[in-house]
Amino acid sequence: VFERQPDSTLLVGAINRIAAEQFGVIATEIIGHNLRDALPAAQYALLESELYHVLETGHRREFEEQIQLGQLISHRQCVITPLSDDHGAIHRLVLNFQDISRERQLDATLHMLQSAIETATSAILLFDRTRPRVPIIFINSAFSAMTGFG
């Protein structure tokens, strides 16, 4: 949770253990500090434009970011939600994020397998045994070229 100051700087109001680990900070050491100073520069740079976009528009923002954590690349889905006071002025921003690295890794693997099947020189067709009458759900170009089907 980030507290908006009158000059629009953001102070860290609260941070949970997992977020602190992801940002590479110690939670108790950054509470009450300017967000720009509290986070590593690379982490802040990824968030800055998104945070200030939410402050300017007042609209919730969802986005994905890719970050380098040592030798690993991590993917996060982020949501920034503005919280307003009784007069409609934004006084806090809540940042939620979820590690979606595994999903992105599975997407890449699926894409690679799909490309391999589509470009294979052997004829391939796939059936869905879970549906009535076991329909054909995919044929590759080699099957189409050989049979004229599809």
Side-chain angles (χ1 to χ4, degrees):
V1 176
F2 309 119
E3 307 285 339
R4 183 181 192 182
Q5 300 304 296
D7 63 356
S8 290
T9 59
L10 296 171
L11 300 183
V12 178
I15 185 168
N16 68 18
R17 180 186 55 80
I18 294 170
E21 288 173 5
Q22 284 281 314
F23 286 119
V25 298
I26 298 171
T28 56
E29 293 180 4
I30 67 168
I31 301 295
H33 288 86
N34 185 324
L35 181 62
R36 178 186 304 272
D37 302 328
L39 295 182
Q43 295 282 336
Y44 181 78
L46 289 170
L47 291 174
E48 181 180 30
S49 66
E50 300 292 347
L51 290 165
Y52 284 97
H53 178 81
V54 172
L55 286 175
E56 289 172 14
T57 66
H59 298 292
R60 180 176 186 259
R61 186 99 164 152
E62 293 184 37
F63 59 97
E64 285 186 25
E65 64 181 14
Q66 180 177 312
I67 59 170
Q68 187 85 30
L69 297 172
Q71 299 288 10
L72 301 174
I73 294 177
S74 178
H75 297 266
R76 294 193 293 214
Q77 180 179 33
C78 303
V79 178
I80 302 171
T81 305
L83 301 178
S84 302
D85 62 19
D86 294 339
H87 305 288
I90 297 171
H91 62 100
R92 287 189 181 103
L93 295 179
V94 177
L95 169 64
N96 294 304
F97 63 89
Q98 179 177 354
D99 186 344
I100 57 169
S101 300
R102 181 73 178 139
E103 289 86 348
R104 291 298 162 258
Q105 185 180 39
L106 291 172
D107 288 346
T109 300
L110 181 59
H111 179 73
M112 179 187 64
L113 292 172
Q114 183 178 6
S115 294
I117 289 172
E118 289 174 354
T119 60
T121 56
S122 299
I124 299 174
L125 65 152
L126 302 175
F127 298 90
D128 185 349
R129 293 181 12 173
T130 65
R131 293 175 41 198
R133 298 178 52 164
V134 190
I136 296 170
I137 58 169
F138 173 83
I139 59 171
N140 71 347
S141 57
F143 183 88
S144 292
M146 184 187 321
T147 64
F149 180 74

